[in-house]
Amino acid sequence: MVSNTAESTAKRPLRVAIVGAGPAGVYAADILTKSNEVKDGDFEVSIDLFEAYPAPYGLIRYGVAPDHPRIKGIVNALHKVLDRGDIRFLGNVTYGRDLTLHDFRAFYDAVIFSTGAIKDAGLDIPGVGLEGSYGAADFVSWYDGHPEVSREWPLDAKEIAVIGNGNVALDVARMLVKHADELLVTEIPDNVYQGLKNSPVTDVHVFGRRGPAQVKFTPLELRELSHARDVDIVLYPEDFEFDEASDDAIRSNNQTKTMVNTMTNWLVEEHAEAEQPSSRRLHLHFLHSPVEIYDDGGTGKVSGIKFERMQLDGTGNVKGTGEFIDYPVQAVYRAIGYHGSALDELEYDAKRGVVPNEGGRVLDADGNPVPGIYTTGWIKRGPVGLIGHTKGDALETIGFLLEDRLTLPPAQNPDPQAIIDLLEERGIEYTTWEGWNKLNAHEEALGTSWTESAASDGVVRERIKVVPREEMIQISRA
């Protein structure tokens, strides 16, 4: 017996909507179009990739430090996928506001949510709400020119604490301590350049709860720290404790070995007297657990942070020593992870910040799969792992979609033009891939113009990011 879906889709492409055009969404679309079932002609697929912002790339455009050495390569790879023409990009369309789940079900046989995670994970200690205490995700959005954050950021602290030992913590610390002129070769907007240039910062302290062998950043991120001009890296001998589990990790994991060796070499080298000390310092602290952020005399502004000194327990984990240390700082950045946001009409696991699912099949309140609804990326598995892990994640989700394709609830109106008609009927100023190419060219032209200006002083800028959403839309839809 042939299902209604099989009958309804046998003579037309399977219509799939993907909500979120970051790496997770683009990888899912690419894997689906390249699947054996599609290549062998078992069925055709028609994919629309939706994005809340006018431009594609998600985390790559709005969540990674602009001086990250791998950004360009990842953007180029994503561009090639979308530039093929077999995946339709529809930007500036917000799920839950512009389109509902009911809308998607009417026009698509399957919907994949790849909305990522953009909020900061919480830190439950006293003083976290003081003025000068910030979430790293908000700061990242600011320096990456996110269209929905203020153009201004308070950069008035000389001494700053960054809590966390992952790549985001190092990105934030590097952006805070680096001299702004070094960032001119990136795509940072002018307001970000001016803000960082006027920063009075002298010392940035990065604090990790565990030891040097348990850090979550990568060798690439660590090496980037040493490339900053006029910045000394400061480490502390008492932090370099290694228990049995640490020794095992160093012996068995080349990445851990590389990072520990790099840091211990820095520790030795820093004792050599420099001819002229740098004007800024980046301190790396380990075995510190935050206890309290405090103000001075009830001012409501951060004036310091208290940590408990930790010690390794033999398993690579830590326990408190009862010793407390205060550091005078005027700002604290929490970089302890991201947290996913709830999506309208879908179940939500608030503790993990994910949409409940089994291998990418979205589950209802009773734990049963919701026909035709899937998820991938950080909103599926939580904000862990590097961008490369997202490919395997998408592969799993697409595998289940392919397995289910003959039993999917068929779209009521699968005509690709129908969703466009609805967007226009509702007055939604959606953007397209052609529009992104216009905006991309405009940003590159801004870089060329700056490079050719009298103020460039020989600095070459490949592009300058456009920030205001209205301007992005206007350029894209011109």
Side-chain angles (χ1 to χ4, degrees), residues 234-274:
V234 183
L235 299 104
Y236 298 86
E238 63 270 23
D239 289 346
F240 282 75
E241 293 182 9
F242 301 97
D243 60 1
E244 185 177 343
S246 301
D247 291 335
D248 288 343
I250 294 168
R251 281 194 301 267
S252 61
N253 188 302
N254 285 332
Q255 178 167 300
T256 301
K257 181 179 180 180
T258 297
M259 289 191 293
V260 170
N261 285 345
T262 299
M263 288 187 287
T264 51
N265 287 339
W266 287 349
L267 186 64
V268 173
E269 291 168 2
E270 76 177 58
H271 292 294
E273 289 294 326

Side-chain angles (χ1 to χ4, degrees), residues 12 15 100-109 111 409-415 418-419 422:
R12 66 166 174 85
R15 292 283 284 146
T100 65
L101 187 61
H102 176 78
D103 294 327
F104 279 110
R105 283 199 173 280
F107 297 104
Y108 299 93
D109 305 301
V111 186
Q412 299 162 24
N413 191 347
D415 182 354
I419 189 67
L422 179 66

Side-chain angles (χ1 to χ4, degrees), residues 64-81:
V64 182
D67 63 342
H68 196 295
R70 290 182 59 226
I71 285 183
K72 195 171 181 180
I74 297 171
V75 167
N76 288 343
L78 298 179
H79 181 95
K80 286 179 181 177
V81 172

